[in-house]
Amino acid sequence: MSDGTGRSVGIGMEVGPYAELTFDSDGDVDRSSRDAVAALEATDLLVFAHGWNSDRSTSTRLFDRFYAPFPGLVGAGVRLGFVGVVWPSIRFSDEPIPDFDPHGALAEPGHGTALDPATLRALGEFWPGRVAELDRVAELLEDRPESEAAFTEFGALVRELAGVDTVDPAGTALLGPAAPVVTDVSGTGVTGVSVVTGVPGVPVVTDVPGVPDVPEVPEVPVIFTLDVLEVCRALTEALARAGALPGGAAEPALSPGGGLHALWNGAKELLRQATYYQMKKRAGTVGEHGLGPVLAELAAHRPALRVHLIGHSFGARVVSFALRAVPDGARYVKSVTLLQGAFSHYAFADRLPHDKGRGGALRGMQRKADGPVVACHSPYDAALGVFYPLASRMAGDSAGLLGFDERWGAIGHDGVQAVPGTPRLTLDAALRSGVPEAGCVSVDTGSVVRRGGPPSGAHSDICHEELARLVVAAGRMGR
């Protein structure tokens, strides 16, 4: 609803003019929301895509909190329009937004493996039509049976919810029935190549432009193909390192016939990772096939409009993939600010350090922006510092499962990597001296993005005036 000026009313927003731009999981836009955005009267349009959130009201409140400082920061000639990009995602209720969620609204971190009612309800909305599967998943997480068969059943249910196929060449207790397995190369920032995992008895196959076609197989992250007990063990140990186990429990041992009870902590994390996998796929689709074309159409009708893209977590992936839809030579995207981006730190690289013949999924896309692409990162983000690389690098043996490999880092953990000439700045330096006028730049925002408990740490600690000032500086909108 609009008050005639383009400002949305009745949704609790304090800034304006404001409108929400809504997409479904396929990237199809709600036409009334598209029309509301087109009606905003502004010189500069701030377009903010949320990360994981379970409902529209939470997203709207987050937009309002983040946008609040902007009217007092911009110059006299700047008329801001505010857009919130709403797309289907989920936030588990034990992942707090500091100073945001009301007291008592969150599940206590580490209170147990059972799914609280809010999370179970959100999962039902995230995976509609899956009530029976989700009820059984919830039952297993609550009962925590010390049975390998129960873990195998749980793994199969998670695989079914995530919509992936798996392979079982050795007859081990994997997460699903036999099928070809392909590493999720988009999670690493690699584009144009599909690689079947090098497990015993399964050949390595590539699918590269110019090479004869091979049978098409679905891309499946290896996290969904390994022995479910090994996966749950690795995830439980990661939770222990992040301080997210109840009572500060030590890392569990996995011994034959015992030690399985604690591994249900890792099983719950596997379910969370399944939602991340689904959100990652949706984010790229919504960005490239939804948000990007909508903004291109808007810019074609309003060539003087300046667009500033902002994304948090998987929302950073949304706005980054929207760059793929910017027509060659267009100059309407004036800045891109990525807040704790949940995608590969090699995404913008022309060549990967570990494979010079390949580039990142967004290679060269920073040149689609007529301004800087600012990647904000914080060492206090446990979601990206611990769980993102663990899930991304899971390979065909336990050593690879647990070993560190910088190939699997997130851009919100350590900034842009393998893009020559990318400056690395502190937040203070960026606010004091500004950021480059174009290209990638990494900004360590750990001075303000530092609060939040396990399991996600400071991942959602983004509502700070300093970050708003950084967006203003990147877009040359200041006083």
Side-chain angles (χ1 to χ4, degrees):
M1 180 183 298
S2 171
D3 61 4
T5 66
R7 174 174 176 165
S8 296
V9 296
I11 54 177
M13 293 295 295
E14 296 297 325
V15 299
Y18 172 83
E20 288 182 351
L21 190 56
T22 305
F23 297 93
D24 66 15
S25 59
D26 295 321
D28 293 329
V29 67
D30 176 83
R31 293 183 179 182
S32 63
S33 72
R34 179 195 59 192
D35 294 342
V37 169
L40 295 180
E41 296 181 2
T43 61
D44 291 74
L45 203 62
L46 301 175
V47 181
F48 182 14
H50 65 72
W52 49 65
N53 280 312
S54 296
D55 57 75
R56 190 186 192 102
S57 63
T58 300
S59 302
T60 300
R61 290 169 55 221
L62 179 62
F63 296 145
D64 190 42
R65 176 73 67 86
F66 184 80
Y67 277 150
F70 281 87
L73 300 176
V74 298
V78 175
R79 289 182 293 119
L80 293 177
F82 299 89
V83 176
V85 177
V86 179
W87 59 286
S89 62
I90 183 175
R91 178 170 65 107
F92 277 49
S93 62
D94 60 356
E95 299 171 354
I97 302 174
D99 297 333
F100 185 85
D101 293 288
H103 180 70
L106 294 171
E108 289 295 324
H111 81 292
T113 62
L115 295 175
D116 62 279
T119 296
L120 186 56
R121 183 170 57 252
L123 286 167
E125 294 173 357
F126 187 73
W127 282 312
R130 297 288 190 161
V131 174
E133 293 92 335
L134 288 169
D135 283 348
R136 180 55 178 160
V137 162
E139 182 181 4
L140 288 169
L141 288 173
E142 184 170 3
D143 294 345
R144 297 196 288 179
E146 293 214 32
S147 159
E148 291 188 17
F151 277 93
T152 300
E153 179 187 4
F154 183 86
L157 287 167
V158 169
R159 178 207 55 79
E160 187 172 350
L161 289 169
V164 298
D165 295 321
T166 62
V167 64
D168 185 6
T172 52
L174 303 188
L175 303 191
V181 179
V182 179
T183 56
D184 183 8
V185 292
S186 61
T188 70
V190 178
T191 185
V193 180
S194 298
V195 183
V196 176
T197 55
V199 291
V202 179
V204 175
V205 180
T206 60
D207 182 10
V208 185
V211 175
D213 290 339
V214 295
E216 183 178 352
V217 289
E219 294 185 356
V220 178
V222 186
I223 188 174
F224 297 122
T225 74
L226 298 172
D227 184 288
V228 64
L229 288 175
E230 287 300 308
V231 171
C232 291
R233 175 183 182 180
L235 291 172
T236 304
E237 291 176 351
L239 288 166
R241 292 195 298 274
L245 290 182
E251 295 182 3
L254 181 59
S255 57
L260 301 184
H261 192 71
L263 299 192
W264 286 103
N265 292 282
K268 183 178 181 180
E269 186 60 32
L270 178 61
L271 178 64
R272 194 194 314 264
Q273 293 293 333
T275 68
Y276 292 174
Y277 167 69
Q278 196 77 46
M279 280 191 287
K280 180 181 68 63
K281 292 198 300 181
R282 288 182 183 178
T285 297
V286 169
E288 183 173 2
H289 301 293
L291 178 60
V294 167
L295 293 178
E297 181 181 5
L298 178 61
H301 288 91
R302 299 173 58 181
L305 185 66
R306 295 160 45 92
V307 175
H308 307 275
L309 299 176
I310 308 161
H312 169 235
S313 184
F314 286 111
R317 183 178 174 89
V318 171
V319 299
S320 296
F321 273 73
L323 294 174
R324 285 183 167 181
V326 175
D328 291 341
R331 301 176 65 83
Y332 56 87
V333 176
K334 297 300 182 181
S335 67
V336 181
T337 304
L338 310 176
L339 306 170
Q340 302 310 117
F343 61 96
S344 172
H345 56 193
Y346 292 139
F348 293 100
D350 288 331
R351 291 182 176 84
L352 301 178
H354 50 281
D355 189 339
K356 301 296 185 181
R358 292 186 284 171
L362 296 167
R363 56 184 175 189
M365 286 297 107
Q366 65 271 28
R367 292 186 280 274
K368 293 277 191 173
D370 186 31
V373 174
V374 181
C376 300
H377 58 96
S378 170
Y380 303 104
D381 186 334
L384 299 184
V386 177
F387 296 106
Y388 176 92
L390 179 64
S392 297
R393 71 181 178 242
M394 284 194 167
D397 55 48
S398 59
L401 191 71
L402 297 174
F404 174 78
D405 189 329
E406 66 181 9
R407 286 180 296 173
W408 313 121
I411 199 169
H413 174 65
D414 57 3
V416 176
Q417 301 292 325
V419 177
T422 297
R424 303 190 67 84
L425 306 176
T426 65
L427 179 58
D428 288 344
L431 295 179
R432 182 175 60 253
S433 303
V435 298
E437 294 186 359
C440 293
V441 56
S442 299
V443 178
D444 185 342
T445 57
S447 58
V448 295
V449 181
R450 58 189 302 118
R451 296 174 304 149
S456 54
H459 184 68
S460 293
D461 186 19
I462 61 168
C463 294
H464 297 281
E465 180 177 328
E466 292 88 344
L467 298 183
R469 290 168 56 199
L470 184 61
V471 173
V472 170
R476 305 297 192 268
M477 294 178 283
R479 296 180 183 278

